[in-house]
Amino acid sequence: MPQKEATRREIAQLFHVWNDALKTGDPKQVAALYAHDATLLPTLSKEVRQTPEAIEDYFEDFLKLQPKGAIIHQNVSLYDPIAINSGVYTFETMIEGVKHHMIGRFTFVYRKEDDDWKIIEHHSSMMPDD
């Protein structure tokens, strides 16, 4: 059965799927969005995460901050069965009861696996100060 070609809207919506998974507070749900061979270059860790266990471990700590993300700018590129969404997002987090806001850059690379898009590469970094 041929794979359905991705649309820009479909790929852009995947951020909301990921963000909704963050809101559950369950690192397993977030990690399930990543392919078994994915690489995560996270914002708040120096460690490159390249196994499902390492990715889940990162989200164990990150989800304690109760993150809520929103996209400021994004660019979707399609290379069926690969798609890339990159841009700028903002996160609200809670640290010791105090809200913090951060702006970061992101790149999500997705690969179509059966009927699902899985994250195969995710890079997130804080926006540098001017």
Side-chain angles (χ1 to χ4, degrees):
M1 181 168 137
Q3 292 181 342
K4 176 176 106 173
E5 183 178 336
T7 66
R8 283 178 170 74
R9 176 180 277 168
E10 178 183 9
I11 298 306
Q13 183 61 29
L14 293 174
F15 171 80
H16 301 289
V17 171
W18 180 81
N19 197 40
D20 288 346
L22 294 179
K23 291 175 189 175
T24 69
D26 182 356
K28 289 185 186 311
Q29 282 193 42
V30 181
L33 300 174
Y34 292 77
H36 70 280
D37 58 346
T39 298
L40 170 62
L41 300 167
T43 310
L44 301 178
S45 173
K46 293 179 183 179
E47 182 182 337
V48 176
R49 312 296 175 122
Q50 293 185 292
T51 67
E53 297 80 16
I55 291 170
E56 185 177 326
D57 178 69
Y58 173 74
F59 286 108
E60 282 279 342
D61 290 331
F62 185 62
L63 293 179
K64 291 175 185 173
L65 303 177
Q66 303 170 346
K68 295 176 187 158
I71 290 182
I72 296 171
H73 171 79
Q74 66 185 331
N75 180 59
V76 175
S77 300
L78 306 174
Y79 307 98
D80 200 36
I82 301 293
I84 302 168
N85 188 1
S86 60
V88 177
Y89 53 18
T90 182
F91 269 94
E92 177 183 290
T93 58
M94 291 291 286
I95 302 172
E96 297 179 1
V98 178
K99 283 185 185 181
H100 294 269
H101 296 275
M102 63 178 159
I103 298 176
R105 297 178 283 196
F106 70 88
T107 301
F108 286 95
V109 181
Y110 301 95
R111 177 178 60 218
K112 189 78 170 200
E113 293 185 0
D114 298 320
D115 291 330
D116 293 326
W117 287 99
K118 292 290 189 178
I119 300 165
I120 59 172
E121 188 88 21
H122 177 192
H123 177 219
S124 180
S125 58
M126 297 269 257
M127 190 67 85
D129 293 332
D130 289 342

